[in-house]
Amino acid sequence: MHRTYSMRQSRVPTASQIENPPPPLSTTKTNRWVGKGGIGHAFRKNTAGAFGPDLARKLAQLVKMEKNVMRSMEMVSKERMETAQQLSIWGENCDEDVSDITDKLGVLLYEVGELEDLFVDRYDQYRVTIKSIRNIEASVQPSRDRKQKITDEIAKLKYKDPASPRIVVLEQELVRAEAESLVAEAQLSNITREKLKAAFQYQFDALREHCEKVAIIAGYGKHLLDLIDDTPVTPGETRQAYDGYDASKAIIQDCEDALANWVQSKAVVKSSLSTRSRTLSQRHREAVSKARENGVDLSGQDQPMQGERDSWVAAEQHASYQNGVDDGEEVGSVEGELRGREDDREPITA
């Protein structure tokens, strides 16, 4: 029996690995402190959305759920390789043709398991990139909270003591907080789009490579099955001697060559858009390009305040406000802080 041949005896880099070097081991393989599944899965999923900034909780839960997916794929990979070995062990005591083919099928299925293991590493590139969006969301939350806190304080003072001099100071702080929040929100918007596209590029490239290679293995596996003579025999009849060892080995070698030479640029499956899809996509890209040339209207970017805060207005919109500030004057200057109030009131500095 030919039990020594294996597709993966030589670990030379494939053409795909040369074109796109494999990533490091996934974090699910190197940083494991909770169980493989069951309780560990539920714990990660449920605790992810229970802690941390509100803005980042939903994405944090997605990141943890993706880790559960990777744990499951890792388990499937290991069990696939174990079943491949068991198939070969079972076939040892069968007829020569069945024994040889099950051994070679075990080689192919073991390769599928190793492809799944590599897919986990590539999938982790997607998850880590999504995780970076979660981190920037968490960093933006404090600026939102500060802006909201100042807004609430202003609303409370306008309700309890509309003439309080602290209102002017808080409004100046709100202006600064809004400026900081505007920068943080712009960074979040830019990074979200950049990282989202990069993350799913990783995932779809990994899916494409994995699925096409699995399809290659499946095709050569069916060629192996053709070497089995399934013609029924009558009792006492002797089946023709099996002479397909060289053919089965050649099929395995062809499969290995096909996997080693596969590159994404020569992928068989192509996704072509319909005329309508191409037209609509082009129209969208032209609209985005035109908007960039003409500038973007940010007047509606901030969310309107809700509840009781709808009733308060900025200081300059008060009936008692007098226009004593020049266009080029800083809002926080001493002259501008009088705000048209009584002359005997002491000026307030920011």
Side-chain angles (χ1 to χ4, degrees):
M1 299 300 172
H2 298 263
R3 301 293 170 193
T4 59
Y5 186 82
S6 173
M7 180 184 296
R8 305 301 293 174
Q9 281 181 348
S10 58
R11 293 287 176 171
V12 295
T14 64
S16 177
Q17 290 173 337
I18 295 174
E19 182 181 70
N20 184 20
L25 287 178
S26 74
T27 52
T28 57
K29 298 176 183 177
T30 56
N31 300 325
R32 176 173 295 179
W33 62 277
V34 183
K36 297 180 180 179
I39 297 176
H41 279 218
F43 176 79
R44 282 188 295 269
K45 178 181 176 181
N46 295 333
T47 56
F51 305 101
D54 293 338
L55 180 61
R57 285 185 180 180
K58 292 182 179 179
L59 197 55
Q61 192 163 10
L62 172 63
V63 170
K64 293 300 183 182
M65 293 171 70
E66 290 289 12
K67 177 170 281 191
N68 289 343
V69 172
M70 291 171 59
R71 299 279 196 202
S72 300
M73 291 191 296
E74 187 180 343
M75 181 65 68
V76 169
S77 169
K78 291 181 178 178
E79 294 188 347
R80 177 91 67 184
M81 289 185 278
E82 290 175 0
T83 56
Q85 291 173 339
Q86 189 62 31
L87 174 64
S88 181
I89 293 172
W90 166 75
E92 286 183 354
N93 297 325
C94 297
D95 294 338
E96 288 191 357
D97 56 345
V98 175
S99 177
D100 180 54
I101 298 305
T102 53
D103 181 50
K104 299 303 188 294
L105 291 176
V107 171
L108 294 183
L109 294 179
Y110 195 92
E111 179 69 12
V112 172
E114 292 200 335
L115 287 176
E116 289 170 341
D117 187 65
L118 178 61
F119 177 69
V120 172
D121 296 335
R122 295 197 180 278
Y123 196 88
D124 193 47
Q125 290 182 292
Y126 147 76
R127 193 187 71 88
V128 169
T129 309
I130 287 291
K131 192 174 179 180
S132 65
I133 303 177
R134 182 207 65 183
N135 295 340
I136 193 67
E137 283 185 345
S139 67
V140 168
Q141 186 69 52
S143 64
R144 286 191 179 185
D145 292 341
R146 180 169 178 267
K147 177 182 172 183
Q148 189 64 52
K149 182 179 179 180
I150 297 173
T151 302
D152 292 341
E153 289 185 30
I154 293 174
K156 188 183 298 183
L157 278 176
K158 289 195 175 222
Y159 178 76
K160 292 184 177 180
D161 186 10
S164 173
R166 180 164 170 72
I167 293 178
V168 179
V169 178
L170 289 175
E171 286 177 345
Q172 294 169 3
E173 291 183 5
L174 181 60
V175 170
R176 289 191 291 270
E178 286 177 341
E180 293 175 1
S181 178
L182 194 63
V183 173
E185 297 290 347
Q187 290 178 339
L188 174 61
S189 177
N190 295 337
I191 292 177
T192 296
R193 284 158 176 75
E194 175 190 351
K195 297 296 184 181
L196 182 66
K197 292 181 71 173
F200 279 94
Q201 286 281 3
Y202 285 134
Q203 182 177 153
F204 292 142
D205 286 346
L207 277 171
R208 189 174 190 177
E209 178 177 352
H210 177 71
C211 294
E212 290 225 0
K213 287 186 174 181
V214 169
I216 289 173
I217 293 174
Y220 283 101
K222 295 184 72 173
H223 287 305
L224 283 174
L225 295 178
D226 292 338
L227 299 178
I228 297 179
D229 181 14
D230 59 349
T231 305
V233 296
T234 59
E237 182 181 357
T238 303
R239 193 178 295 275
Q240 185 176 356
Y242 176 69
D243 61 351
Y245 292 111
D246 292 336
S248 65
K249 184 175 180 178
I251 291 174
I252 292 293
Q253 290 174 332
D254 288 345
C255 182
E256 181 180 11
D257 293 340
L259 293 175
N261 295 326
W262 185 93
V263 290
Q264 197 169 54
S265 58
K266 297 181 180 179
V268 177
V269 179
K270 303 291 184 181
S271 54
S272 56
L273 294 177
S274 64
T275 303
R276 180 173 180 271
S277 297
R278 284 196 300 270
T279 302
L280 293 175
S281 299
Q282 181 64 27
R283 187 181 303 170
H284 169 71
R285 287 192 292 268
E286 290 174 355
V288 171
S289 177
K290 184 177 180 181
R292 287 175 180 170
E293 294 175 359
N294 299 334
V296 182
D297 182 13
L298 301 177
S299 59
Q301 179 171 327
D302 291 337
Q303 296 181 354
M305 292 178 294
Q306 300 177 353
E308 297 180 355
R309 293 190 295 275
D310 291 336
S311 61
W312 80 273
V313 294
E316 64 269 22
Q317 297 177 359
H318 282 208
S320 60
Y321 180 84
Q322 296 179 3
N323 189 12
V325 182
D326 295 334
D327 291 340
E329 185 180 1
E330 184 179 355
V331 177
S333 63
V334 175
E335 294 82 1
E337 287 167 352
L338 293 176
R339 300 288 187 180
R341 294 184 174 86
E342 294 83 2
D343 294 335
D344 57 346
R345 178 170 295 173
E346 184 178 356
I348 304 169
T349 57

